Amino acid sequence: MSSRGYEAVIGIEIHVQLSTKSKMFCADSTAFNGGDNENVSPVSAGMPGTLPVVNKVAVEYAIKTGLALGCNIRKKSIFARKNYFYPDMPKGYQISQYDQPICEGGRVSFKVDGKEKVVGITRAHLEEDAGKSNHHGEYTLINLNRAGIPLLEVVSEPDIRTPAEAAEYGRTIRQIVRYLDVCDGNLEEGSLRCDCNVSVRKEGAEKFGTKVEIKNINSFRFVEKAIEYEIERQIDAVERGEKIIQETRLWDPDKNRTFSMRTKEDAQDYRYFPDPDLLPLLVSDKMIEDIRRVMPELPLVRAKRFQDEHGLPEYDASVLTNEKQIADYYEEVAKESKNFKASSNWIMTELIRELNTANKEITDSPIKAQQLGRLVSLIDNGTISGKIAKTVFQEMWQSGKDAEVIIKEKGLVQITDPAAIEKIVDEVLAANAQNVEDHKSGKKKNLLGFFVGAVMKASKGQANPDLVNKILLEKLK
Ligand code: ADP
Ligand code: MG
């Protein structure tokens, strides 16, 4: 896509906060809601003389993510000191990885407007988070609870070309880390932080333009908007003959624009060097293979299986695999009901609507997967009609009771006895003599639907619709 004869080039860095219990280099808790500076030992506070010790689970999570992104996992990676001053980083450097990161060279694919897009992953490296500065007008307080929480920084190649691709790339990374259960993906709490690097070049030009980094955008919708704005801003500047300066900008969601925060340091300004406190990180083949063996099925593969093995349409497969918990739920419903498409329909329409209205996760659904599966079976075996099933579903949602119990309590079993249905049909026809006449004489066509509706209503929705149709057709001949 081009805009005003220019093409955008975008690369994204995503800080994935790993959901380990303890920090990257010490045993302090990573809990989000701790009291101020509650989770701070001398290591988190960066006291001189303390020694960092690597968190094994964080390393496992990094490997897991690297494998899911198709990266090469380095057998030997190096922790480096990235030196800079910031009040919320008292030791004056951040422990990160530099020229030998744990994961290198992967790719992710996703769809944008129905077209497959592949984005290269340059690297994913382990590092520690900084603390937080809380500004109170004239003074600032430092909270170091976040200092030392493990982050995996996933760096993309500059392969992204449009704001929509950028947002979808972010959603895909979020989906993957949530499937892997290595990060909760909560953007508002900062568990995922996106930095977008944007430059523009004349269409057809080979050389990249100077990039600008937009930092810490906390929703994918804002990723899209911020990049849209930035592309136009840069094109305007280039058209005016100005030079783009390499800088870091922030997104202002209220004013819908980006603004300059600082000019950007180059790598040499950080004076990276291997951290002498930490040995090289060695990962064995066995460790990698052990992790590979317990990797969950990833969204795209799972969606493909739902299409190939369950015969679901692409749309259903994609909605159901959007979140691992929904896909798990669907598989349980389908296993119980043995009706794939009907299971999918009930989840995608009724269940997801109720969950959204109640603002609930599927794992908190009052209707458990097996219960929904049995409801689907009860329709398939003719115990209740699809229409009655909706009423039963509502009752299940309210009470959490089994469908069978509700059907019994309320006497909702479908009427499949032809004699009983004939009786209702006769009553309806008798009460609508004029319409019967009009139908038979051909004066009014298409009254069949009217009669079906009237009979269904008279039976409180319990008559079997096929039988109602059949009997009506005979009587109206
Ligand atoms: P820095 O050293 O400034 O952090 P990197 O080379 O590490 O820069 O790249 C950071 C991110 O910027 C990567 O995601 C990369 O794909 C992207 N990037 C690099 N050059 C450009 C460019 N000219 N335009 C847009 N994005 C770019
Ligand atoms: Mg970088």
Side-chain angles (χ1 to χ4, degrees):
M1 194 194 80
S2 71
S3 169
R4 299 157 64 188
Y6 288 80
E7 179 184 57
V9 171
I10 304 157
I12 298 183
E13 298 157 285
I14 298 185
H15 288 87
V16 176
Q17 183 179 307
L18 300 176
S19 50
T20 54
K21 291 205 176 68
S22 58
K23 292 190 181 174
M24 185 66 227
F25 298 110
C26 70
D28 291 346
S29 165
T30 56
F32 179 71
N33 282 322
D36 293 339
N37 291 307
E38 197 174 79
N39 306 325
V40 181
S41 66
V43 179
S44 291
M47 294 292 171
T50 55
L51 280 177
V53 177
V54 175
N55 181 333
K56 189 177 174 202
V57 177
V59 174
E60 287 169 358
Y61 283 7
I63 296 172
K64 224 176 174 183
T65 311
L67 291 175
L69 299 177
C71 290
N72 174 47
I73 310 297
R74 254 182 192 280
K75 301 289 170 47
K76 177 183 170 186
S77 60
I78 304 285
F79 287 105
R81 289 188 182 180
K82 182 180 185 181
N83 299 281
Y84 60 101
F85 172 75
Y86 223 72
D88 53 27
M89 203 183 59
K91 67 182 183 294
Y93 60 87
Q94 175 192 26
I95 307 178
S96 181
Q97 295 188 308
Y98 182 50
D99 54 345
Q100 299 179 50
I102 184 156
C103 311
E104 283 177 319
R107 65 215 294 267
V108 284
S109 43
F110 50 89
K111 281 202 170 147
V112 178
D113 295 332
K115 266 197 271 158
E116 165 130 342
K117 172 77 188 179
V118 178
V119 173
I121 301 292
T122 315
R123 53 190 276 147
H125 61 260
L126 278 165
E127 60 185 28
E128 58 177 341
D129 208 345
K132 246 185 187 164
S133 301
N134 294 320
H135 306 290
H136 298 267
E138 296 192 335
Y139 63 96
T140 294
L141 297 173
I142 306 284
N143 185 346
L144 293 176
N145 279 350
R146 205 178 65 182
I149 288 186
L151 301 177
L152 184 71
E153 180 174 340
V154 179
V155 182
S156 89
E157 289 288 304
D159 290 344
I160 299 163
R161 292 290 172 269
T162 68
E165 284 178 8
E168 206 46 39
Y169 168 81
R171 291 190 188 100
T172 305
I173 296 290
R174 177 174 186 271
Q175 187 189 38
I176 290 172
V177 296
R178 279 169 56 85
Y179 258 73
L180 298 173
D181 210 11
V182 300
C183 170
D184 64 24
N186 189 332
L187 278 93
E188 272 142 47
E189 289 181 3
S191 305
L192 268 191
R193 277 166 263 159
C194 290
D195 301 342
C196 301
N197 298 272
V198 183
S199 64
V200 297
R201 61 180 171 186
K202 272 266 185 214
E203 214 166 281
E206 293 229 341
K207 207 167 158 284
F208 287 163
T210 303
K211 75 178 194 297
V212 163
E213 181 189 45
I214 316 167
K215 257 195 151 5
N216 290 347
I217 312 171
N218 69 357
S219 89
F220 296 124
R221 202 167 53 85
F222 288 158
V223 162
E224 197 164 340
K225 288 182 129 189
I227 296 175
E228 261 166 25
Y229 174 87
E230 188 57 27
I231 292 172
E232 295 302 318
R233 188 191 71 83
Q234 289 185 20
I235 296 174
D236 286 346
V238 174
E239 292 275 285
R240 282 197 301 267
E242 291 169 21
K243 268 217 157 88
I244 302 292
I245 12 174
Q246 179 164 329
E247 63 179 346
T248 299
R249 299 177 71 89
L250 293 174
W251 169 245
D252 181 338
D254 298 323
K255 297 210 178 86
N256 261 322
R257 62 183 195 90
T258 62
F259 61 95
S260 183
M261 179 170 96
R262 58 165 188 243
T263 55
K264 168 98 182 159
E265 300 88 347
D266 273 327
Q268 66 261 25
D269 299 329
Y270 291 122
R271 302 253 166 213
Y272 281 99
F273 64 88
D275 192 317
D277 287 342
L278 286 156
L279 291 166
L281 178 64
L282 302 180
V283 173
S284 67
D285 284 324
K286 178 169 184 311
M287 188 167 173
I288 298 173
E289 285 322 306
D290 285 350
I291 292 170
R292 203 191 292 279
R293 226 175 309 115
V294 297
M295 291 280 281
E297 191 180 26
L298 291 169
L300 283 182
V301 178
R302 203 165 187 187
K304 178 126 197 335
R305 179 166 63 80
F306 286 178
Q307 283 173 259
D308 295 347
E309 291 176 18
H310 295 193
L312 291 184
E314 188 184 350
Y315 177 75
D316 293 42
S318 138
V319 172
L320 294 173
T321 52
N322 205 4
E323 281 183 40
K324 182 171 181 291
Q325 284 76 9
I326 295 179
D328 290 345
Y329 187 99
Y330 158 74
E331 291 217 62
E332 246 190 282
V333 177
K335 195 173 156 208
E336 179 70 39
S337 73
K338 304 188 179 59
N339 184 337
F340 301 127
K341 182 60 180 143
S343 301
S344 162
N345 288 347
W346 277 93
I347 294 168
M348 294 207 317
T349 55
E350 309 298 317
L351 187 70
I352 289 186
R353 186 183 57 228
E354 293 300 337
L355 291 170
N356 286 343
T357 311
N359 202 9
K360 274 194 159 100
E361 297 290 326
I362 200 160
T363 40
D364 301 323
S365 167
I367 305 180
K368 301 298 164 213
Q370 286 201 346
Q371 292 178 300
L372 185 56
R374 283 205 300 282
L375 178 67
V376 174
S377 298
L378 290 167
I379 307 164
D380 284 347
N381 68 22
T383 308
I384 52 170
S385 67
K387 194 155 178 259
I388 290 287
K390 299 233 161 125
T391 314
V392 175
F393 178 92
Q394 282 306 324
E395 186 71 28
M396 290 169 79
W397 177 267
Q398 297 301 332
S399 68
K401 284 184 190 165
D402 284 345
E404 292 91 336
V405 173
I406 294 165
I407 292 166
K408 216 170 151 199
E409 276 176 6
K410 306 226 151 168
L412 293 173
V413 177
Q414 179 162 242
I415 306 169
T416 49
D417 172 12
I421 293 178
E422 197 176 346
K423 190 163 163 270
I424 304 171
V425 168
D426 286 340
E427 282 163 17
V428 166
L429 294 184
N432 291 281
Q434 186 58 50
N435 277 330
V436 174
E437 196 129 303
D438 289 349
H439 182 85
K440 283 190 175 161
S441 67
K443 194 166 154 206
K444 278 195 199 155
K445 298 230 158 65
N446 294 329
L447 278 171
L448 187 65
F450 162 78
F451 290 121
V452 171
V455 173
M456 291 308 291
K457 197 171 167 208
S459 76
K460 300 201 187 72
Q462 281 171 254
N464 176 298
D466 290 342
L467 280 173
V468 171
N469 256 298
K470 193 166 149 255
I471 293 170
L472 267 172
L473 276 173
E474 275 166 18
K475 300 248 169 198
L476 289 170
K477 238 192 268 170

